[in-house]
C-alpha cells in the first residue's frame, strides 16, 4: 500500500490512528509519502525527536521529499544511503527522506523525486543573524509586521536544488528513458503553476523552470505536489495535495 499526502509542517496528527484508521491494515512495507514541507527536522529540540519517535512507532514507513520549510543545515547531518534504487537519508529506521533527482522503485512502480521550492513570503528580506545590525533590523521588521525570514533559523539557501542535484536528476531521468510511473515534488512546473492561481504571486523560478523541462520530456501517470496549500485534481495527471491522504497503490 502507498498513500500520498501534502505538507505536514511538523504536525503529524493526521497520521494518528484515530485520523488515519487505514493504518490498521498497514505494515513496514507500506508507505505514506509526504510531498514536502515535512518539518520534522526543525529546531533540533526534544520536541523534534519526540515527533520523529512517534512517526517511527506508527505501523507504516514514512517517506518525504523536501519542501522549503525544512531545516536543511540539520537535515544535511544525516548520512546518505541507497534504498530501493535511489538515495535516502534515514532519520529513523522507518522515516526516510527521499533525496532530490532520484528514481525509486516501490511496489514495482517507479517514482522520480525532486523536492524543494522557493519561499515566496519573504518580500521584506532574509536577515543574516551574524550582521551587526541584526537585532535592530529584526525588531524593526517584527514591529512592522514584515514578511521576512532569518537565514539558518527559518530560511535556508538549500530550499532550491544545487547544480549537482539538477545534474543528478537529469542523469537519472536519462537512465530510465524519461519514463516513470509517478513524479513527486513540492512545487509545480511552470505550466501547472500558471493555471493554478492566475494573477497570484507564484512566479517562475529556476526549479519551476526545471520541472517544466521535466514535464515536457518525461512520460508519467501522475505527478503529486504540495506547497500551495490546497487539495485539487488538475488536468494532465497533476494532483495538488495538502491535508488529504490519498491512496495511490
Ligand atoms: Fe512549501
Amino acid at each position: 500500500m502507498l498513500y500520498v499526502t501534502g505538507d505536514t509542517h511538523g504536525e503529524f496528527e493526521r497520521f494518528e490512528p484515530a485520523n488515519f484508521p487505514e493504518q490498521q491494515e498497514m505494515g513496514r512495507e507500506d508507505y505514506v509519502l509526504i510531498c514536502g514541507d515535512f518539518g520534522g527536522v526543525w529546531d533540533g529540540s526534544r520536541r523534534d525527536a519526540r515527533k520523529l519517535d512517534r512517526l517511527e512507532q506508527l505501523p507504516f514507513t514514512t517517506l518525504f521529499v523536501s519542501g522549503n520549510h525544512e531545516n536543511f543545515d540539520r537535515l544535511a547531518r544525516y548520512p546518505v544511503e541507497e534504498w530501493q534504487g535511489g538515495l535516502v537519508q534515514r532519520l529513523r529506521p522507518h522515516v526516510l527522506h527521499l533525496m532530490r533527482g532520484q528514481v525509486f522503485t516501490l511496489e514495482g512502480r517507479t517514482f522520480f523525486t525532486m523536492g524543494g521550492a522557493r519561499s515566496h513570503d519573504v518580500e521584506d528580506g532574509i536577515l543574516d543573524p551574524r550582521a551587526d545590525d541584526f537585532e535592530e533590523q529584526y525588531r524593526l521588521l517584527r514591529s512592522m509586521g514584515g514578511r521576512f525570514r532569518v537565514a539558518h533559523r527559518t530560511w535556508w539557501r538549500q530550499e532550491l536544488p544545487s547544480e549537482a542535484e539538477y545534474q543528478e536528476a537529469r542523469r537519472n531521468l536519462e537512465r530510465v528513458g524519461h519514463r516513470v510511473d509517478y513524479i513527486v515534488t513540492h512545487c509545480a512546473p511552470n505550466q501547472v503553476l500558471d493555471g493554478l492561481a492566475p494573477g497570484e504571486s507564484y512566479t517562475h523560478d529556476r526549479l519551476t523552470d526545471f520541472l517544466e523541462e521535466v514535464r515536457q520530456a518525461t512520460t508519467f501517470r501522475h505527478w503529486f505536489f504540495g506547497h500551495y496549500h490546497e487539495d485539487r485534481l488538475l488536468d494532465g495527471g497533476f494532483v495538488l495535495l495538502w491535508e488529504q491522504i490519498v491512496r495511490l497503490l
Side-chain angles (χ1 to χ4, degrees), residues 53-106:
D53 291 342
R54 177 61 189 147
L55 282 178
E56 177 62 26
Q57 284 172 355
L58 298 175
F60 50 85
T61 294
T62 303
L63 309 174
F64 69 98
V65 301
S66 60
N68 49 315
H69 294 121
E70 321 288 356
N71 185 330
F72 287 101
D73 294 327
R74 287 184 186 281
L75 196 55
R77 294 182 201 160
Y78 289 90
V80 175
E81 63 180 271
E82 213 183 308
W83 180 79
Q84 310 282 12
L87 297 178
V88 299
Q89 288 171 298
R90 204 180 279 274
L91 311 189
R92 291 291 183 274
H94 303 93
V95 181
L96 308 183
H97 170 217
L98 306 184
M99 296 182 77
R100 293 170 178 165
Q102 307 299 310
V103 177
F104 297 91
T105 304
L106 301 173

Short mmCIF file of all heavy atoms in Angstrom, two decimals, residues 53-106:
data_model
loop_
_atom_site.label_atom_id
_atom_site.label_comp_id
_atom_site.label_asym_id
_atom_site.label_seq_id
_atom_site.Cartn_x
_atom_site.Cartn_y
_atom_site.Cartn_z
N ASP A 53 10.12 10.12 16.80
CA ASP A 53 9.93 8.84 17.51
C ASP A 53 8.48 8.36 17.36
O ASP A 53 8.23 7.17 17.19
CB ASP A 53 10.26 8.98 18.99
CG ASP A 53 11.75 9.19 19.23
OD1 ASP A 53 12.55 8.89 18.32
OD2 ASP A 53 12.10 9.67 20.32
N ARG A 54 7.55 9.31 17.41
CA ARG A 54 6.13 8.94 17.27
C ARG A 54 5.87 8.39 15.86
O ARG A 54 5.19 7.38 15.70
CB ARG A 54 5.23 10.16 17.56
CG ARG A 54 3.77 9.90 17.38
CD ARG A 54 3.27 8.82 18.32
NE ARG A 54 1.90 8.42 18.01
CZ ARG A 54 1.44 7.18 18.20
NH1 ARG A 54 2.22 6.23 18.68
NH2 ARG A 54 0.19 6.90 17.90
N LEU A 55 6.43 9.04 14.84
CA LEU A 55 6.27 8.54 13.47
C LEU A 55 6.84 7.12 13.37
O LEU A 55 6.27 6.25 12.71
CB LEU A 55 6.99 9.45 12.46
CG LEU A 55 6.29 10.75 12.08
CD1 LEU A 55 7.17 11.54 11.11
CD2 LEU A 55 4.93 10.49 11.45
N GLU A 56 7.97 6.91 14.02
CA GLU A 56 8.62 5.60 13.98
C GLU A 56 7.73 4.52 14.60
O GLU A 56 7.76 3.36 14.18
CB GLU A 56 9.99 5.68 14.68
CG GLU A 56 10.75 4.36 14.78
CD GLU A 56 11.10 3.75 13.42
OE1 GLU A 56 11.22 4.48 12.44
OE2 GLU A 56 11.24 2.51 13.38
N GLN A 57 6.94 4.92 15.60
CA GLN A 57 6.06 3.95 16.27
C GLN A 57 4.88 3.52 15.40
O GLN A 57 4.29 2.48 15.64
CB GLN A 57 5.46 4.56 17.54
CG GLN A 57 6.43 4.63 18.70
CD GLN A 57 5.82 5.42 19.85
OE1 GLN A 57 4.72 5.97 19.74
NE2 GLN A 57 6.53 5.46 20.95
N LEU A 58 4.49 4.34 14.45
CA LEU A 58 3.32 4.01 13.61
C LEU A 58 3.68 2.80 12.74
O LEU A 58 4.85 2.58 12.44
CB LEU A 58 2.91 5.23 12.79
CG LEU A 58 2.46 6.43 13.65
CD1 LEU A 58 2.18 7.65 12.78
CD2 LEU A 58 1.23 6.10 14.49
N PRO A 59 2.69 2.02 12.32
CA PRO A 59 2.99 0.73 11.70
C PRO A 59 3.58 0.78 10.29
O PRO A 59 4.14 -0.20 9.82
CB PRO A 59 1.63 0.02 11.68
CG PRO A 59 0.61 1.10 11.75
CD PRO A 59 1.23 2.19 12.56
N PHE A 60 3.47 1.94 9.63
CA PHE A 60 3.93 2.04 8.23
C PHE A 60 5.30 2.72 8.17
O PHE A 60 5.83 3.14 9.20
CB PHE A 60 2.91 2.83 7.40
CG PHE A 60 2.49 4.13 8.03
CD1 PHE A 60 3.25 5.28 7.83
CD2 PHE A 60 1.35 4.21 8.84
CE1 PHE A 60 2.87 6.47 8.41
CE2 PHE A 60 0.98 5.41 9.43
CZ PHE A 60 1.74 6.54 9.22
N THR A 61 5.85 2.86 6.96
CA THR A 61 7.09 3.61 6.74
C THR A 61 6.74 4.99 6.18
O THR A 61 5.97 5.09 5.22
CB THR A 61 8.01 2.83 5.78
OG1 THR A 61 8.42 1.62 6.44
CG2 THR A 61 9.25 3.62 5.42
N THR A 62 7.28 6.03 6.80
CA THR A 62 7.03 7.41 6.36
C THR A 62 8.14 7.84 5.41
O THR A 62 9.33 7.69 5.72
CB THR A 62 6.99 8.37 7.56
OG1 THR A 62 5.98 7.91 8.47
CG2 THR A 62 6.68 9.79 7.13
N LEU A 63 7.75 8.38 4.25
CA LEU A 63 8.70 8.89 3.26
C LEU A 63 8.37 10.35 3.00
O LEU A 63 7.21 10.74 3.06
CB LEU A 63 8.55 8.11 1.93
CG LEU A 63 8.57 6.58 2.00
CD1 LEU A 63 8.25 6.01 0.61
CD2 LEU A 63 9.92 6.09 2.47
N PHE A 64 9.38 11.15 2.71
CA PHE A 64 9.08 12.53 2.32
C PHE A 64 10.12 13.06 1.34
O PHE A 64 11.28 12.63 1.35
CB PHE A 64 8.98 13.45 3.55
CG PHE A 64 10.28 13.70 4.27
CD1 PHE A 64 11.03 14.85 4.02
CD2 PHE A 64 10.76 12.79 5.20
CE1 PHE A 64 12.24 15.08 4.70
CE2 PHE A 64 11.96 13.01 5.88
CZ PHE A 64 12.69 14.16 5.63
N VAL A 65 9.69 13.98 0.49
CA VAL A 65 10.64 14.79 -0.29
C VAL A 65 10.75 16.11 0.47
O VAL A 65 9.88 16.45 1.27
CB VAL A 65 10.19 15.01 -1.76
CG1 VAL A 65 10.02 13.69 -2.49
CG2 VAL A 65 8.93 15.86 -1.85
N SER A 66 11.81 16.88 0.22
CA SER A 66 11.96 18.13 0.95
C SER A 66 11.03 19.19 0.36
O SER A 66 10.62 19.12 -0.80
CB SER A 66 13.41 18.62 0.86
OG SER A 66 13.78 18.82 -0.49
N GLY A 67 10.71 20.17 1.20
CA GLY A 67 9.96 21.34 0.72
C GLY A 67 10.88 22.54 0.81
O GLY A 67 12.08 22.44 0.57
N ASN A 68 10.31 23.68 1.20
CA ASN A 68 11.16 24.83 1.53
C ASN A 68 11.23 25.03 3.04
O ASN A 68 12.18 25.63 3.53
CB ASN A 68 10.69 26.10 0.83
CG ASN A 68 9.22 26.36 0.98
OD1 ASN A 68 8.39 25.45 0.83
ND2 ASN A 68 8.85 27.58 1.30
N HIS A 69 10.27 24.49 3.78
CA HIS A 69 10.30 24.60 5.24
C HIS A 69 10.90 23.34 5.85
O HIS A 69 10.18 22.51 6.41
CB HIS A 69 8.89 24.84 5.80
CG HIS A 69 8.31 26.15 5.40
ND1 HIS A 69 7.14 26.26 4.70
CD2 HIS A 69 8.76 27.42 5.58
CE1 HIS A 69 6.88 27.54 4.47
NE2 HIS A 69 7.85 28.25 4.99
N GLU A 70 12.19 23.19 5.70
CA GLU A 70 12.94 22.13 6.38
C GLU A 70 14.19 22.81 6.92
O GLU A 70 14.68 23.76 6.31
CB GLU A 70 13.39 21.01 5.41
CG GLU A 70 12.43 20.60 4.31
CD GLU A 70 11.22 19.80 4.80
OE1 GLU A 70 11.15 19.48 6.01
OE2 GLU A 70 10.34 19.52 3.98
N ASN A 71 14.72 22.30 8.02
CA ASN A 71 16.00 22.82 8.49
C ASN A 71 17.10 22.07 7.74
O ASN A 71 17.53 21.00 8.15
CB ASN A 71 16.15 22.65 10.00
CG ASN A 71 17.42 23.30 10.51
OD1 ASN A 71 18.42 23.37 9.79
ND2 ASN A 71 17.40 23.77 11.74
N PHE A 72 17.53 22.65 6.62
CA PHE A 72 18.47 21.94 5.73
C PHE A 72 19.85 21.78 6.37
O PHE A 72 20.56 20.85 6.02
CB PHE A 72 18.57 22.67 4.39
CG PHE A 72 17.35 22.48 3.53
CD1 PHE A 72 16.38 23.47 3.45
CD2 PHE A 72 17.16 21.30 2.82
CE1 PHE A 72 15.24 23.29 2.68
CE2 PHE A 72 16.02 21.11 2.04
CZ PHE A 72 15.06 22.11 1.97
N ASP A 73 20.23 22.68 7.29
CA ASP A 73 21.51 22.51 7.98
C ASP A 73 21.49 21.22 8.79
O ASP A 73 22.45 20.44 8.78
CB ASP A 73 21.80 23.69 8.91
CG ASP A 73 22.00 24.99 8.14
OD1 ASP A 73 22.52 24.93 7.00
OD2 ASP A 73 21.63 26.06 8.66
N ARG A 74 20.40 21.00 9.52
CA ARG A 74 20.30 19.79 10.34
C ARG A 74 20.08 18.54 9.50
O ARG A 74 20.64 17.48 9.78
CB ARG A 74 19.15 19.91 11.35
CG ARG A 74 19.47 20.85 12.46
CD ARG A 74 18.39 20.92 13.51
NE ARG A 74 18.77 21.96 14.45
CZ ARG A 74 19.67 21.79 15.42
NH1 ARG A 74 20.22 20.61 15.61
NH2 ARG A 74 19.98 22.80 16.20
N LEU A 75 19.24 18.67 8.48
CA LEU A 75 18.96 17.53 7.61
C LEU A 75 20.25 16.99 6.98
O LEU A 75 20.43 15.79 6.84
CB LEU A 75 17.96 17.98 6.53
CG LEU A 75 17.22 16.90 5.73
CD1 LEU A 75 16.50 15.91 6.65
CD2 LEU A 75 16.23 17.55 4.76
N ALA A 76 21.14 17.92 6.62
CA ALA A 76 22.39 17.53 5.94
C ALA A 76 23.29 16.67 6.83
O ALA A 76 24.21 16.01 6.33
CB ALA A 76 23.16 18.79 5.51
N ARG A 77 23.03 16.65 8.14
CA ARG A 77 23.89 15.86 9.04
C ARG A 77 23.58 14.37 9.00
O ARG A 77 24.35 13.56 9.48
CB ARG A 77 23.73 16.35 10.48
CG ARG A 77 24.24 17.76 10.67
CD ARG A 77 24.11 18.16 12.11
NE ARG A 77 24.11 19.62 12.23
CZ ARG A 77 23.63 20.28 13.27
NH1 ARG A 77 23.12 19.62 14.29
NH2 ARG A 77 23.67 21.59 13.30
N TYR A 78 22.41 14.01 8.45
CA TYR A 78 22.07 12.58 8.39
C TYR A 78 22.82 11.93 7.23
O TYR A 78 22.86 12.48 6.13
CB TYR A 78 20.56 12.39 8.20
CG TYR A 78 19.76 12.74 9.42
CD1 TYR A 78 19.28 14.04 9.62
CD2 TYR A 78 19.48 11.77 10.38
CE1 TYR A 78 18.54 14.37 10.75
CE2 TYR A 78 18.75 12.10 11.52
CZ TYR A 78 18.28 13.39 11.69
OH TYR A 78 17.55 13.71 12.81
N PRO A 79 23.39 10.75 7.47
CA PRO A 79 24.13 10.09 6.39
C PRO A 79 23.21 9.67 5.24
O PRO A 79 22.01 9.45 5.43
CB PRO A 79 24.75 8.88 7.07
CG PRO A 79 24.00 8.68 8.33
CD PRO A 79 23.41 10.00 8.73
N VAL A 80 23.80 9.59 4.07
CA VAL A 80 23.08 9.22 2.85
C VAL A 80 23.29 7.74 2.58
O VAL A 80 24.40 7.24 2.73
CB VAL A 80 23.59 10.06 1.66
CG1 VAL A 80 22.94 9.62 0.36
CG2 VAL A 80 23.36 11.54 1.92
N GLU A 81 22.25 7.04 2.21
CA GLU A 81 22.40 5.63 1.84
C GLU A 81 21.52 5.30 0.64
O GLU A 81 20.62 6.08 0.30
CB GLU A 81 22.07 4.72 3.02
CG GLU A 81 20.63 4.83 3.49
CD GLU A 81 20.34 3.91 4.68
OE1 GLU A 81 19.96 2.75 4.44
OE2 GLU A 81 20.49 4.37 5.83
N GLU A 82 21.78 4.16 0.03
CA GLU A 82 20.97 3.75 -1.10
C GLU A 82 19.80 2.91 -0.62
O GLU A 82 19.95 2.10 0.31
CB GLU A 82 21.82 2.96 -2.09
CG GLU A 82 21.33 3.21 -3.51
CD GLU A 82 22.09 2.40 -4.53
OE1 GLU A 82 23.33 2.48 -4.52
OE2 GLU A 82 21.43 1.72 -5.32
N TRP A 83 18.64 3.12 -1.22
CA TRP A 83 17.44 2.40 -0.80
C TRP A 83 16.49 2.33 -2.01
O TRP A 83 16.19 3.35 -2.60
CB TRP A 83 16.77 3.15 0.37
CG TRP A 83 15.53 2.53 0.90
CD1 TRP A 83 15.42 1.47 1.75
CD2 TRP A 83 14.19 2.96 0.63
NE1 TRP A 83 14.10 1.21 2.02
CE2 TRP A 83 13.32 2.11 1.36
CE3 TRP A 83 13.62 3.99 -0.15
CZ2 TRP A 83 11.92 2.23 1.32
CZ3 TRP A 83 12.24 4.11 -0.19
CH2 TRP A 83 11.41 3.24 0.55
N GLN A 84 16.07 1.16 -2.38
CA GLN A 84 15.10 0.95 -3.48
C GLN A 84 15.50 1.70 -4.75
O GLN A 84 14.65 2.28 -5.43
CB GLN A 84 13.68 1.39 -3.07
CG GLN A 84 13.20 0.83 -1.74
CD GLN A 84 12.76 -0.62 -1.82
OE1 GLN A 84 13.00 -1.29 -2.82
NE2 GLN A 84 12.12 -1.12 -0.79
N GLY A 85 16.80 1.73 -5.05
CA GLY A 85 17.26 2.30 -6.32
C GLY A 85 17.64 3.76 -6.28
O GLY A 85 18.12 4.31 -7.28
N GLY A 86 17.41 4.44 -5.15
CA GLY A 86 17.74 5.86 -5.07
C GLY A 86 18.43 6.19 -3.75
O GLY A 86 18.65 5.31 -2.92
N LEU A 87 18.76 7.45 -3.57
CA LEU A 87 19.45 7.87 -2.34
C LEU A 87 18.46 8.43 -1.32
O LEU A 87 17.56 9.20 -1.68
CB LEU A 87 20.49 8.93 -2.67
CG LEU A 87 21.62 8.47 -3.59
CD1 LEU A 87 22.57 9.63 -3.90
CD2 LEU A 87 22.39 7.30 -2.99
N VAL A 88 18.66 8.02 -0.07
CA VAL A 88 17.79 8.49 1.02
C VAL A 88 18.64 8.91 2.21
O VAL A 88 19.82 8.56 2.30
CB VAL A 88 16.81 7.39 1.51
CG1 VAL A 88 15.88 6.93 0.41
CG2 VAL A 88 17.57 6.20 2.12
N GLN A 89 18.02 9.63 3.13
CA GLN A 89 18.58 9.84 4.47
C GLN A 89 17.59 9.23 5.44
O GLN A 89 16.38 9.48 5.35
CB GLN A 89 18.75 11.33 4.74
CG GLN A 89 19.88 11.94 3.94
CD GLN A 89 19.88 13.43 4.07
OE1 GLN A 89 18.93 14.10 3.67
NE2 GLN A 89 20.94 13.98 4.64
N ARG A 90 18.14 8.44 6.34
CA ARG A 90 17.28 7.71 7.28
C ARG A 90 17.25 8.45 8.61
O ARG A 90 18.23 8.45 9.34
CB ARG A 90 17.84 6.30 7.45
CG ARG A 90 16.85 5.26 7.88
CD ARG A 90 17.53 3.91 8.01
NE ARG A 90 17.69 3.21 6.74
CZ ARG A 90 16.76 2.42 6.19
NH1 ARG A 90 15.62 2.21 6.81
NH2 ARG A 90 17.00 1.82 5.05
N LEU A 91 16.12 9.09 8.92
CA LEU A 91 16.01 9.86 10.17
C LEU A 91 15.68 8.94 11.34
O LEU A 91 16.07 9.19 12.47
CB LEU A 91 14.93 10.93 10.06
CG LEU A 91 14.94 11.83 8.82
CD1 LEU A 91 13.94 12.95 9.00
CD2 LEU A 91 16.32 12.40 8.56
N ARG A 92 14.94 7.90 11.02
CA ARG A 92 14.61 6.83 11.95
C ARG A 92 14.57 5.58 11.06
O ARG A 92 14.50 5.70 9.84
CB ARG A 92 13.24 7.04 12.60
CG ARG A 92 13.16 8.20 13.59
CD ARG A 92 13.95 7.93 14.86
NE ARG A 92 13.82 9.00 15.84
CZ ARG A 92 14.58 10.09 15.88
NH1 ARG A 92 15.52 10.29 14.96
NH2 ARG A 92 14.40 11.00 16.82
N PRO A 93 14.58 4.37 11.66
CA PRO A 93 14.59 3.19 10.79
C PRO A 93 13.47 3.20 9.73
O PRO A 93 13.67 2.72 8.62
CB PRO A 93 14.41 2.04 11.79
CG PRO A 93 15.03 2.56 13.06
CD PRO A 93 14.73 4.04 13.09
N HIS A 94 12.31 3.78 10.05
CA HIS A 94 11.19 3.80 9.11
C HIS A 94 10.69 5.20 8.80
O HIS A 94 9.49 5.40 8.58
CB HIS A 94 10.07 2.90 9.62
CG HIS A 94 10.54 1.50 9.85
ND1 HIS A 94 10.99 1.07 11.06
CD2 HIS A 94 10.68 0.46 8.99
CE1 HIS A 94 11.39 -0.19 10.97
NE2 HIS A 94 11.21 -0.59 9.72
N VAL A 95 11.59 6.18 8.84
CA VAL A 95 11.26 7.55 8.44
C VAL A 95 12.40 8.01 7.51
O VAL A 95 13.52 8.24 7.95
CB VAL A 95 11.16 8.51 9.65
CG1 VAL A 95 10.80 9.92 9.20
CG2 VAL A 95 10.14 7.99 10.67
N LEU A 96 12.10 8.10 6.20
CA LEU A 96 13.16 8.32 5.22
C LEU A 96 12.93 9.57 4.37
O LEU A 96 11.81 9.81 3.90
CB LEU A 96 13.24 7.12 4.25
CG LEU A 96 13.34 5.71 4.82
CD1 LEU A 96 13.47 4.71 3.69
CD2 LEU A 96 14.52 5.60 5.76
N HIS A 97 14.01 10.32 4.18
CA HIS A 97 13.99 11.46 3.25
C HIS A 97 14.40 10.95 1.87
O HIS A 97 15.52 10.48 1.69
CB HIS A 97 14.97 12.53 3.76
CG HIS A 97 15.21 13.62 2.77
ND1 HIS A 97 16.43 14.22 2.59
CD2 HIS A 97 14.37 14.22 1.88
CE1 HIS A 97 16.34 15.15 1.65
NE2 HIS A 97 15.11 15.17 1.20
N LEU A 98 13.51 11.07 0.90
CA LEU A 98 13.83 10.70 -0.49
C LEU A 98 14.51 11.90 -1.13
O LEU A 98 13.90 12.96 -1.29
CB LEU A 98 12.55 10.34 -1.25
CG LEU A 98 11.63 9.27 -0.63
CD1 LEU A 98 10.47 8.96 -1.58
CD2 LEU A 98 12.40 7.99 -0.31
N MET A 99 15.75 11.74 -1.48
CA MET A 99 16.55 12.89 -1.91
C MET A 99 16.19 13.33 -3.33
O MET A 99 15.42 12.70 -4.02
CB MET A 99 18.02 12.54 -1.75
CG MET A 99 18.34 12.33 -0.26
SD MET A 99 20.05 11.99 0.07
CE MET A 99 20.74 13.63 -0.09
N ARG A 100 16.77 14.47 -3.71
CA ARG A 100 16.41 15.10 -4.99
C ARG A 100 17.04 14.38 -6.18
O ARG A 100 18.18 13.93 -6.10
CB ARG A 100 16.87 16.56 -4.97
CG ARG A 100 16.10 17.39 -3.97
CD ARG A 100 16.72 18.75 -3.79
NE ARG A 100 15.93 19.55 -2.86
CZ ARG A 100 16.37 20.68 -2.30
NH1 ARG A 100 17.56 21.14 -2.57
NH2 ARG A 100 15.59 21.34 -1.46
N GLY A 101 16.29 14.34 -7.25
CA GLY A 101 16.82 13.82 -8.51
C GLY A 101 16.96 12.32 -8.56
O GLY A 101 17.75 11.79 -9.34
N GLN A 102 16.20 11.60 -7.71
CA GLN A 102 16.32 10.15 -7.62
C GLN A 102 15.15 9.45 -8.31
O GLN A 102 14.07 10.02 -8.47
CB GLN A 102 16.34 9.71 -6.15
CG GLN A 102 17.38 10.43 -5.32
CD GLN A 102 18.79 10.19 -5.82
OE1 GLN A 102 19.18 9.04 -6.04
NE2 GLN A 102 19.55 11.25 -6.01
N VAL A 103 15.39 8.19 -8.68
CA VAL A 103 14.29 7.34 -9.17
C VAL A 103 14.25 6.10 -8.28
O VAL A 103 15.23 5.36 -8.19
CB VAL A 103 14.47 6.94 -10.65
CG1 VAL A 103 13.35 6.00 -11.08
CG2 VAL A 103 14.49 8.18 -11.55
N PHE A 104 13.14 5.92 -7.57
CA PHE A 104 12.95 4.78 -6.67
C PHE A 104 11.97 3.79 -7.29
O PHE A 104 11.10 4.20 -8.07
CB PHE A 104 12.36 5.25 -5.34
CG PHE A 104 13.25 6.19 -4.58
CD1 PHE A 104 13.14 7.57 -4.76
CD2 PHE A 104 14.21 5.71 -3.71
CE1 PHE A 104 13.97 8.45 -4.08
CE2 PHE A 104 15.04 6.57 -3.01
CZ PHE A 104 14.91 7.94 -3.20
N THR A 105 12.10 2.53 -6.93
CA THR A 105 11.09 1.55 -7.33
C THR A 105 10.40 1.03 -6.07
O THR A 105 11.03 0.44 -5.21
CB THR A 105 11.73 0.39 -8.10
OG1 THR A 105 12.45 0.93 -9.23
CG2 THR A 105 10.67 -0.58 -8.62
N LEU A 106 9.10 1.33 -5.96
CA LEU A 106 8.30 0.90 -4.81
C LEU A 106 7.11 0.12 -5.33
O LEU A 106 6.40 0.61 -6.22
CB LEU A 106 7.80 2.12 -4.03
CG LEU A 106 8.86 3.07 -3.47
CD1 LEU A 106 8.20 4.31 -2.88
CD2 LEU A 106 9.70 2.36 -2.43
#
